Amino acid sequence: MFFKNIETGLIHEVTNEDHINRCLNDSNYEEVKPKKEVEIVQEEKKVEVKPKATNKRTSAKK
């Protein structure tokens, strides 16, 4: 079951029977029908790998 916290607007899926009963009896929560599930797909970020710069010291020729 899904419950909306009226004060915060957050919606929670509750599966525990005791917790469901608590939400049903709490005036801060109302049962809501879930919206169609939306699949969130993160866009792959391409990272360009650059060669690490080295600090080579050249010795002076004597």
Side-chain angles (χ1 to χ4, degrees), residues 2-14 23 28-32:
F2 289 85
F3 291 92
K4 179 178 181 180
N5 182 315
I6 297 171
E7 293 177 4
T8 64
L10 294 175
I11 298 175
H12 306 277
E13 181 179 15
V14 181
C23 290
N28 288 329
Y29 290 92
E30 65 180 1
E31 185 180 354
V32 294

Side-chain angles (χ1 to χ4, degrees), residues 40-45:
I40 299 174
V41 178
Q42 289 185 336
E43 192 174 304
E44 283 189 34
K45 293 183 180 180

Side-chain angles (χ1 to χ4, degrees), residues 3 14 18-30:
F3 291 92
V14 181
D18 292 332
H19 197 173
I20 290 172
N21 289 331
R22 186 182 72 77
C23 290
L24 288 170
N25 293 320
D26 190 335
S27 61
N28 288 329
Y29 290 92
E30 65 180 1

Side-chain angles (χ1 to χ4, degrees), residues 37-61:
E37 196 170 313
V38 177
E39 185 178 329
I40 299 174
V41 178
Q42 289 185 336
E43 192 174 304
E44 283 189 34
K45 293 183 180 180
K46 292 185 180 180
V47 178
E48 184 179 330
V49 179
K50 296 180 180 178
K52 185 176 179 180
T54 57
N55 291 330
K56 292 184 179 180
R57 294 183 182 200
T58 55
S59 57
K61 294 183 179 181

